Amino acid sequence: MAELLLTDLIDVELLQKIQDEFSKYTGMAALTTDADGKPITKGSAFTDFCMKYTRQSELGLRRCMESDKNAALKALESGEPVVYVCHAGLADFASPIMMGDKLLGCFLGGQVRVSSKIDEEALKETAKELGIEYESYYQAMESTNTIGKKELKKSAKFLGIVANVLSEMAYQNYMSIDKYRNLERAARSQSHFLMDLSSDLHENMSEWIAALREVVKNGSVETVMDVIDTMLTNGTTTYSIIGDIVDYMKFSDGNVALYEAVYSIHEVVQAVVELEEEEAKAKNVKLSYRVDEDVPAYLLGDGGRIGQMLAKLVSNAVTFKKDCMKEAKMEILVSVRKDSYAHVLEIRVCDRGKFFSKDTLKVFNDYFSRGMLHFKEREESEDFSLSIVDLFVRQMQGKISVTSKETEGTVFLIELPQLEVTES
């Protein structure tokens, strides 16, 4: 929201048309400014006093902008249009254009006098400060319209209604833009994901072809057995990749709903460790887990998807590890914190032997916050399953982040709101 301007949310031509119609209806000048008091429309029915003289002075224009901005802030504080006397002596009124608690701009009207008597001394002082010839300035002031205070307040109230309509328009347009950005972000994420998967498939197929060529060239029994073993391994990996594609596309299209049921996080984590333990031992990796005592025995959520996420993170880390000369350690740590009526499950997948650079770490966290993941080198990221994990986490209204320290290793943290289930 912070980066959006009023002109991003409402077309300037529409603002100009609304402003012009307001001027015709009230017979007063009108102007629309941004949050800093800078005009974003052309003045409607502006008086010569303001347009030809005051705003033509550099100092005068700066004072006008400051006056307009201060009026908008006062209106924001009071919650209703503000009637005020500008720095040059004319009566104006202002109403803020809001989106939530953010000031987007201000709708201004006025440039009239509420008294037929002109304060000549004050006007002379202003003309002197702004470098304007007094006689012409006085005549321009004298030609401005004079209206009663009651009529001025009625016009200000009408201006407030117009500003409220503009505020509602800005909010609705913001919601449309936000929805579009989410769709665009999801499309980018899906594009990167499919590119990565395509790269993996291509890599596996290349290995198959190379192995088969070797068989044709060599023809020994030992080579044939090696090739069969390689093809079986790569076939399993490829099957997993295709499964990820199917899962990702189904979830992206909203065709798969989360299945909420009572589950035990202790049992889920234990099952993941048992599933990955053999592969971890083969890579000389010690895989362990710990569930804190205050974690509820049973929770309501999609335990199956949580297990899938953990399995992908652990499997990804183990698969890409080179055979360790010294035993490496990986841990799954589960804790909980209370948040309103829910428990936030905090699951940490800790790779004690892996360290990411600051640049790589920033890419990961940028992806988790904005849905954009792109590395120059495939091996640098080892991000094979992250798109699936991130998608699951988002669907569960959770968060995922990663930290990495040379002395402590790399930790993926998944935070998921879950409901405790107590025995009746």
Side-chain angles (χ1 to χ4, degrees):
M1 183 185 295
E3 71 274 10
L4 290 175
L5 304 175
L6 177 58
T7 49
D8 295 325
L9 299 172
I10 303 178
D11 185 73
V12 175
E13 291 184 6
L14 179 59
L15 288 171
Q16 186 71 55
K17 185 174 181 180
I18 292 173
Q19 177 187 297
D20 290 343
E21 292 302 316
F22 172 83
S23 268
K24 288 179 182 178
Y25 179 78
T26 62
M28 298 180 186
L31 180 69
T32 308
T33 73
D34 63 16
D36 293 321
K38 183 179 179 181
I40 56 178
T41 57
K42 296 178 181 178
S44 302
F46 261 41
T47 63
D48 285 346
F49 179 83
C50 294
M51 204 65 181
K52 186 176 178 180
Y53 295 102
T54 307
R55 287 178 177 261
Q56 287 301 312
S57 161
E58 183 178 342
L59 176 59
L61 178 59
R62 188 163 66 248
R63 285 181 176 178
C64 286
M65 290 174 60
E66 290 174 356
S67 182
D68 294 341
K69 182 178 181 180
N70 289 334
L73 293 175
K74 287 180 180 178
L76 177 60
E77 291 175 1
S78 65
E80 57 185 26
V82 169
V83 178
Y84 64 101
V85 177
C86 77
H87 70 98
L90 290 181
D92 289 327
F93 40 91
S95 191
I97 302 171
M98 306 292 299
M99 189 172 65
D101 58 355
K102 178 179 172 59
L103 176 65
L104 293 177
C106 192
F107 199 52
L108 306 167
Q111 296 185 12
V112 294
R113 288 180 289 145
V114 292
S115 173
S116 57
K117 186 177 180 181
I118 298 174
D119 188 338
E120 295 188 37
E121 291 302 318
L123 187 62
K124 284 180 181 179
E125 184 65 26
T126 300
K128 182 179 179 181
E129 291 174 354
L130 303 184
I132 300 172
E133 194 272 319
Y134 174 69
E135 290 300 327
S136 300
Y137 204 36
Y138 178 85
Q139 289 177 9
M141 169 66 90
E142 196 173 35
S143 66
T144 58
N145 292 331
T146 303
I147 66 171
K149 291 182 179 180
K150 187 176 181 179
E151 185 180 351
L152 184 65
K153 287 182 178 180
K154 284 177 62 178
S155 298
K157 186 176 181 180
F158 178 65
L159 178 69
I161 295 172
V162 174
N164 287 338
V165 171
L166 293 175
S167 296
E168 180 62 26
M169 288 175 60
Y171 175 75
Q172 294 299 331
N173 289 341
Y174 168 75
M175 295 301 292
S176 297
I177 290 173
D178 189 54
K179 183 177 181 180
Y180 170 78
R181 285 182 173 178
N182 285 336
L183 291 172
E184 184 182 40
R185 189 159 50 237
R188 282 201 304 267
S189 180
Q190 181 169 307
S191 175
H192 286 303
F193 176 75
L194 294 177
M195 286 173 63
D196 285 343
L197 289 177
S198 175
S199 175
D200 278 295
L201 287 171
H202 183 270
E203 182 180 336
N204 286 327
M205 292 301 295
S206 296
E207 289 180 7
W208 285 2
I209 293 170
L212 287 171
R213 283 177 177 169
E214 180 65 23
V215 170
V216 173
K217 182 179 178 180
N218 192 301
S220 68
V221 175
E222 291 80 5
T223 303
V224 172
M225 295 302 294
D226 288 343
V227 168
I228 292 174
D229 184 62
T230 299
M231 292 183 70
L232 286 172
T233 301
N234 285 348
T236 302
T237 303
T238 303
Y239 182 78
S240 175
I241 291 172
I242 294 171
D244 277 353
I245 292 176
V246 173
D247 277 350
Y248 187 89
M249 297 305 293
K250 283 182 177 179
F251 267 79
S252 295
D253 292 339
N255 293 329
V256 178
L258 292 172
Y259 177 71
E260 290 193 333
V262 178
Y263 74 96
S264 165
I265 188 61
H266 190 286
E267 293 176 1
V268 168
V269 175
Q270 185 179 29
V272 170
V273 170
E274 290 175 355
L275 178 67
E276 304 296 334
E277 203 165 23
E278 186 176 344
E279 178 70 15
K281 284 181 179 178
K283 292 291 183 76
N284 200 20
V285 177
K286 182 180 180 182
L287 184 58
S288 62
Y289 73 96
R290 187 184 76 238
V291 179
D292 286 357
E293 291 182 358
D294 58 344
V295 175
Y298 295 100
L299 295 166
L300 180 64
D302 194 333
R305 295 295 179 190
I306 294 173
Q308 281 184 270
M309 288 191 294
L310 294 180
K312 289 180 184 298
L313 286 176
V314 173
S315 177
N316 190 54
V318 171
T319 300
F320 281 98
K321 275 190 181 296
K322 295 181 173 69
D323 292 338
C324 303
M325 297 297 293
K326 182 180 178 181
E327 186 180 64
K329 292 183 179 181
M330 284 193 65
E331 299 173 287
I332 301 176
L333 307 177
V334 182
S335 58
V336 70
R337 74 172 191 272
K338 199 77 168 64
D339 187 2
S340 186
Y341 62 89
H343 286 76
V344 177
L345 204 57
E346 298 181 337
I347 307 173
R348 292 173 172 82
V349 178
C350 311
D351 186 344
R352 301 305 182 189
K354 180 67 178 179
F355 171 66
F356 286 128
S357 67
K358 287 184 178 180
D359 289 341
T360 302
L361 198 62
K362 183 178 185 302
V363 174
F364 274 125
N365 284 312
D366 281 350
Y367 169 58
F368 294 141
S369 62
R370 297 198 295 269
M372 297 174 64
L373 183 62
H374 181 67
F375 288 91
K376 292 181 181 178
E377 298 293 338
R378 179 84 179 102
E379 293 78 9
E380 181 185 7
S381 67
E382 302 175 1
D383 64 316
F384 176 71
S385 297
L386 280 183
S387 293
I388 287 285
V389 173
D390 181 60
L391 187 60
F392 285 172
V393 170
R394 288 176 186 273
Q395 290 228 340
M396 295 183 197
Q397 306 302 313
K399 297 178 183 178
I400 180 171
S401 59
V402 58
T403 57
S404 192
K405 295 182 180 179
E406 196 165 2
T407 55
E408 300 176 12
T410 297
V411 178
F412 283 90
L413 169 62
I414 297 173
E415 300 173 83
L416 301 172
Q418 304 282 278
L419 293 176
E420 179 181 7
V421 177
T422 56
E423 295 182 357
S424 57

